[in-house]
Amino acid sequence: MTQAWLWAGFAVLVIGILAFDLGVAGRGKHEISTRRALTMVGAYAAFALGFGGAVFVTMGADPAMEYVTAWLLEQSLSLDNIFVWVLIFQHFKIEDDAQQRVLFWGIMGAMALRGIFIFAGAALINAFEWLLYLFGALVIVSGIRLLLKKDSSKNIGDSKLLRLLRRRLKVVEDSQDESFFVRREGKLRVTQLFLALIVIEATDLVFALDSIPAIFGVTRDTLIVYTSNIFAVLGLRALYFAIAGLVEHLRYMRYGLALLLVLIGAKMIGGHFVTIPVWLTLLATVGIIGGTISISLMTRHRQEEISTSSGLS
């Protein structure tokens, strides 16, 4: 009964956020400034942590710590998502106003797809316990792959998906409309916005295959896995407008995330033999993420100081 109330409260909160976003905040053309984006990031974080407080009150301290750990992990892994969004919007030359529309519907699609993945994953793990070890191995491989990954600034136009879409669909290349579909010569055609939306959904699908197994390494409670994931996804659009220009400066972030993924994968495999306290997982997550962000920003600041000194001399 406790979880039923949490599910109901979660549904009401998410519907309210989406209704406000679409019906009020999304009306009219307006640029999202960095200040406004940061305010939105704070609001989404407050909603997420507020729900974590409800988990604490109704389910206890350990589930609440699992929720916060899962939310932080998903939010951090989403930084790679944001970098790819930057490349996608640059490729399609989509202005800020239209970016807001694409990201809103992209996030709606991501919520549905992740729900399918999470509930299917939970059902499989409950039916076949050994799959948890397989997921753990996949998470470790994801961490190693992230560590060894080369520069991801590839040309979006070279993707097989985009080439397939352009071959199969009638695309209006010169449309400045903010719609996904337009009529030309009596026929329905897709716009650049629609192509961008499909590519964004496809990239989120790929990222979800890495991040969702990692969340199962934190907790197997479907409520916590899904709600933490959705609150992280809901805040992505605001996070994009807040830090899109800074993502490339978080040069050490992927090393921290790689380490975190390897640790969580090891926890999934070894959890049957060694019990790791929830607070230790949360502490490691906060420490690794906070540490790598701090080191990245301090390094950037130091380089700017050196550049300024060199310019003055």
Side-chain angles (χ1 to χ4, degrees), residues 182-203:
V182 294
R183 283 199 174 274
R184 290 288 174 88
E185 300 173 353
K187 295 182 179 180
L188 194 65
R189 301 179 186 273
V190 302
T191 66
Q192 298 291 315
L193 259 65
F194 182 78
L195 293 184
L197 176 63
I198 297 300
V199 175
I200 282 174
E201 294 287 11
T203 56

Side-chain angles (χ1 to χ4, degrees), residues 7-247:
W7 277 115
F10 167 76
V12 169
L13 185 57
V14 170
I15 291 171
I17 290 171
L18 292 174
F20 176 82
D21 204 348
L22 184 63
V24 179
R27 283 187 175 178
K29 290 190 174 184
H30 52 267
E31 180 182 349
I32 296 184
S33 64
T34 301
R35 181 177 180 180
R36 183 183 177 206
L38 287 171
T39 301
M40 291 168 62
V41 169
Y44 280 115
F47 284 128
L49 294 176
F51 187 81
V55 172
F56 173 77
V57 170
T58 56
M59 296 177 66
D62 280 358
M65 285 190 286
E66 288 175 350
Y67 169 85
V68 173
T69 303
W71 174 70
L72 283 173
L73 178 61
E74 182 60 42
Q75 197 82 81
S76 303
L77 289 171
S78 298
L79 289 176
D80 246 8
N81 237 343
I82 291 174
F83 182 74
V84 174
W85 289 355
V86 173
L87 298 178
I88 291 171
F89 289 138
Q90 287 176 348
H91 173 78
F92 289 105
K93 299 180 176 60
I94 296 176
E95 300 296 329
D96 286 355
D97 288 334
Q99 288 177 18
Q100 297 179 50
R101 179 176 171 78
V102 173
L103 290 180
F104 177 85
W105 292 108
I107 286 170
M108 291 285 285
M111 289 169 59
L113 288 173
R114 285 167 183 260
I116 294 171
F117 280 179
I118 289 168
F119 288 105
L124 286 172
I125 290 172
N126 288 332
F128 307 101
E129 186 80 20
W130 57 268
L131 279 176
L132 194 63
Y133 303 113
L134 176 60
F135 282 0
L138 290 174
V139 172
I140 291 174
V141 170
S142 296
I144 295 172
R145 192 173 68 234
L146 181 60
L147 183 64
L148 300 177
K149 186 177 69 173
K150 296 180 181 179
D151 183 19
S152 60
S153 57
K154 62 181 181 179
N155 185 0
I156 298 296
D158 293 336
S159 73
K160 293 180 181 178
L161 173 62
L162 190 53
R163 291 202 300 268
L164 176 64
L165 290 172
R166 289 192 182 280
R167 283 200 306 269
R168 298 293 184 184
L169 301 174
K170 299 294 184 181
V171 182
V172 177
E173 302 288 349
D174 61 344
S175 175
Q176 299 300 313
D177 199 310
E178 289 189 14
S179 301
F180 294 118
F181 305 95
V182 294
R183 283 199 174 274
R184 290 288 174 88
E185 300 173 353
K187 295 182 179 180
L188 194 65
R189 301 179 186 273
V190 302
T191 66
Q192 298 291 315
L193 259 65
F194 182 78
L195 293 184
L197 176 63
I198 297 300
V199 175
I200 282 174
E201 294 287 11
T203 56
D204 182 74
L205 189 63
V206 172
F207 285 123
L209 292 174
D210 286 340
S211 66
I212 290 175
I215 304 301
F216 278 113
V218 175
T219 178
R220 289 173 56 181
D221 188 308
T222 309
L223 169 72
I224 295 175
V225 175
Y226 185 68
T227 55
S228 62
N229 210 277
I230 296 307
F231 275 118
V233 169
L234 278 173
L236 270 186
R237 186 171 64 149
L239 195 61
Y240 166 79
F241 287 106
I243 67 168
L246 290 176
V247 172

